[in-house]
Amino acid sequence: MSALIPRPAREIAPCAVHVPDWLTLDEQRHLVVECRRWATAPVPMRAAQLPTGHRMSVQTVCLGWHWKPYSYSRTADDAGGGRVAPVPDWLVALGRRAVAAAFRAPADDYTPDAALINFYDETAKMGMHQDKEERSDAAVVSLSIGDTCTFRFGNTFNRGKPYTDVELVSGDLFVFGGPSRFAYHGVPKVFPGTCSVDCGLKSGRLNITLRVTGLADA
């Protein structure tokens, strides 16, 4: 939903760009429908288990490559063993549009081969972490639908300060690449009841993250 007071796009850190209200309501609703389908088959959405034995509070399902802490595979060995669905061409095209919008330059060579769909309920959080299992430094595209969250975007050398807290609202786009590609980031808080039913969700937050893994099948 468009804000009453316009929220301009801004660069949070070098090559880390927040573009508010980027997805239309129709695009949000379409993504919600597709995410619900991906969450059931061929691999079910689940809370990944960390090496410590703890379960993440965020529920995840993957396309293209299956992610588990901290590696990728074509099959979801920690969620039934099925082979994950491919990243559809229309989602690749959306990723290219996103990078072009954020960096204001053509992004025809941007071809994400993995998508992580994360669902946050009202208590879910994501600790500060780097996306570093990829063998590519291509930009990461992050799309938000549903409840507003605090997105904490940090530095490339530790989980602490300096960092910047950004409010991500349904429809917002965040892209980070270049010198900020491996910055620590996380979601310390979701604000329940802040999403409009017009986006397709009654509650919770969906985050769709597109990545270029740089991996090849053995």
Side-chain angles (χ1 to χ4, degrees), residues 107-130:
D108 296 340
D109 59 345
Y110 183 72
T111 306
D113 60 339
L116 275 65
I117 297 99
N118 292 323
F119 177 74
Y120 294 74
D121 65 17
E122 62 183 18
T123 63
K125 300 178 181 180
M126 182 78 72
M128 294 293 278
H129 65 283
Q130 292 172 301

Side-chain angles (χ1 to χ4, degrees), residues 136-177:
S136 168
D137 60 0
V140 174
V141 170
S142 175
L143 303 167
S144 294
I145 302 172
D147 283 336
T148 298
C149 80
T150 297
F151 178 65
R152 181 161 291 170
F153 194 78
N155 58 75
T156 59
F157 48 88
N158 67 40
R159 292 178 172 83
K161 295 182 178 180
Y163 54 70
T164 301
D165 284 347
V166 182
E167 183 179 78
L168 294 184
V169 175
S170 192
D172 284 6
L173 164 68
F174 198 98
V175 178
F176 55 101

Side-chain angles (χ1 to χ4, degrees), residues 16 28 44 49 63 66 73 84 86 102 124-126 129 132 142 152 156 158 164 169 172 176 184 194 202-203 213:
Q28 292 175 56
Q49 183 172 315
L63 305 176
H66 180 76
S73 62
V84 298
K125 300 178 181 180
M126 182 78 72
H129 65 283
K132 61 180 182 180
S142 175
R152 181 161 291 170
T156 59
N158 67 40
T164 301
V169 175
D172 284 6
F176 55 101
Y184 284 90
T194 52
K202 292 182 179 179
S203 63
T213 68

Side-chain angles (χ1 to χ4, degrees), residues 34 37-38 63 85-94 112 115:
E34 293 300 302
R37 182 171 63 84
W38 294 327
L63 305 176
V87 180
D89 291 342
W90 63 264
L91 191 54
V92 172
L94 187 66

Side-chain angles (χ1 to χ4, degrees), residues 53-69:
H54 291 90
R55 290 277 177 186
M56 295 178 65
S57 60
V58 174
Q59 302 279 321
T60 304
V61 68
C62 306
L63 305 176
W65 289 88
H66 180 76
W67 179 87
K68 67 176 182 178

